Amino acid sequence: MKVIIAKDYDEMSRLAAEEMAKVVEVKPNAVLGLATGGTPVGMYKELIKMNKDGKIDFSNVTTVNLDEYVGLAGDHPQSYRYFMNDNLFNHINIDKSRTFVPNGLAEDIAEEGRNYDKKIDELGGTDIQLLGIGNNGHIAFNEPDQDLVAGTHLTGLTQSTIEANARFFDSIDEVPKTAITMGLGQIMKAKKILLVASGESKAEAIKGVLSGKITTSNPATMLQMHRDVVVIIDEAAAKLVK
Ligand code: PGA
């Protein structure tokens, strides 16, 4: 695991964008695994700027996202499809038909999950998977639990995640209670993983990621079993790291 401590959020965003750009430079038709949430917004802004400046070309890139709320259509402003269009895809030269987000409106979510895994396999897997981390150590919607699931699956959100995500909705009652998410097995198949975190609220979870111990009560600790992980965090998120 390579750990880079940036001085603040902006530097974290810039360094993370450079990691993504390096992958596309080497492989113009790369498959990028993308993530939503507040953390990657700055990185996406950097990538948009790099694209406008001619420093990164998305015309042959394919993307697969980690997760989606169940019950929200892609044009719902809080859906992750909408987030990706709004924060990245609408502003870069990507072919949107090659951008994949799980379908939260699928009638059979289990089947949607199996098809999503199949799609990723057919694409040859992700060349780099971007991950944020929850205050509780979740990655995508893989919440702390006794068991973790390998493939893309239907999952319930923990109360702490519902509370953390309520800031994006008009009221906490509007936060969906279930989601479809890539599982840890699918995430771990990525050729490279880029984990980003900013702020003191992530310090405890990050401490776990670098602890040398693996536990399902902090799902992100599993990343220690992957052979190519880059962790880019700001000083606040690194507060408990020695
Ligand atoms: P955040 O979410 O980037 O909005 O903090 C990260 C996550 O919950 O995975």
Side-chain angles (χ1 to χ4, degrees):
M1 223 176 231
K2 183 171 152 196
V3 183
I4 299 169
I5 300 177
K7 78 173 182 310
D8 55 20
Y9 177 79
D10 289 346
E11 191 179 59
M12 178 206 78
S13 300
R14 198 170 43 72
L15 294 172
E18 280 167 15
E19 284 293 334
M20 296 295 267
K22 263 195 269 173
V23 173
V24 178
E25 195 173 282
V26 174
K27 187 176 176 188
N29 63 345
V31 178
L32 306 180
L34 299 180
T36 54
T39 314
V41 171
M43 188 201 84
Y44 290 144
K45 285 206 174 95
E46 285 292 328
L47 287 174
I48 292 166
K49 189 164 170 290
M50 290 167 88
N51 186 231
K52 300 235 182 303
D53 293 346
K55 290 184 187 145
I56 181 169
D57 175 15
F58 289 97
S59 61
N60 291 307
V61 163
T62 299
T63 67
V64 289
N65 261 77
L66 288 169
D67 46 14
E68 178 61 283
Y69 288 118
V70 166
L72 297 193
D75 59 0
H76 187 292
Q78 299 311 333
S79 74
Y80 287 168
R81 159 54 72 182
Y82 188 98
F83 175 102
M84 289 310 302
N85 288 346
D86 196 36
N87 283 286
L88 185 65
F89 302 148
N90 287 348
H91 313 285
I92 59 174
N93 69 331
I94 198 162
D95 174 355
K96 259 200 213 153
S97 69
R98 282 212 299 268
T99 66
F100 299 97
V101 179
N103 178 11
L105 290 185
E107 232 164 78
D108 184 341
I109 294 286
E111 190 190 4
E112 168 69 10
R114 284 190 294 274
N115 290 339
Y116 201 70
D117 287 334
K118 202 162 142 232
K119 174 98 224 160
I120 297 169
D121 286 346
E122 282 166 6
L123 290 168
T126 49
D127 292 291
I128 185 166
Q129 176 66 59
L130 171 71
L131 298 174
I133 185 169
N135 301 345
N136 63 3
H138 74 207
I139 46 180
F141 277 123
N142 296 279
E143 301 280 15
D145 206 339
Q146 213 168 338
D147 302 307
L148 297 173
V149 182
T152 302
H153 62 283
L154 173 71
T155 186
L157 275 50
T158 59
Q159 189 57 27
S160 84
T161 297
I162 291 170
E163 283 164 17
N165 290 6
R167 69 189 195 276
F168 299 113
F169 290 81
D170 288 336
S171 86
I172 193 164
D173 301 330
E174 285 177 28
V175 184
K177 308 287 182 289
T178 54
I180 174 169
T181 182
M182 262 189 223
L184 261 308
Q186 183 60 262
I187 290 168
M188 292 287 283
K189 281 193 205 167
K191 293 176 190 98
K192 185 182 185 85
I193 288 179
L194 169 59
L195 177 71
V196 288
S198 164
E200 230 180 292
S201 65
K202 304 293 170 70
E204 191 66 40
I206 289 294
K207 184 181 162 196
V209 172
L210 304 175
S211 67
K213 291 189 186 143
I214 292 161
T215 167
T216 61
S217 62
N218 177 347
T221 59
M222 194 178 274
L223 299 176
Q224 294 169 108
M225 290 195 283
H226 193 283
R227 67 178 73 227
D228 189 2
V229 181
V230 181
V231 178
I232 305 181
I233 50 181
D234 65 9
E235 282 175 5
K239 202 180 154 197
L240 301 177
V241 179
K242 287 186 199 88

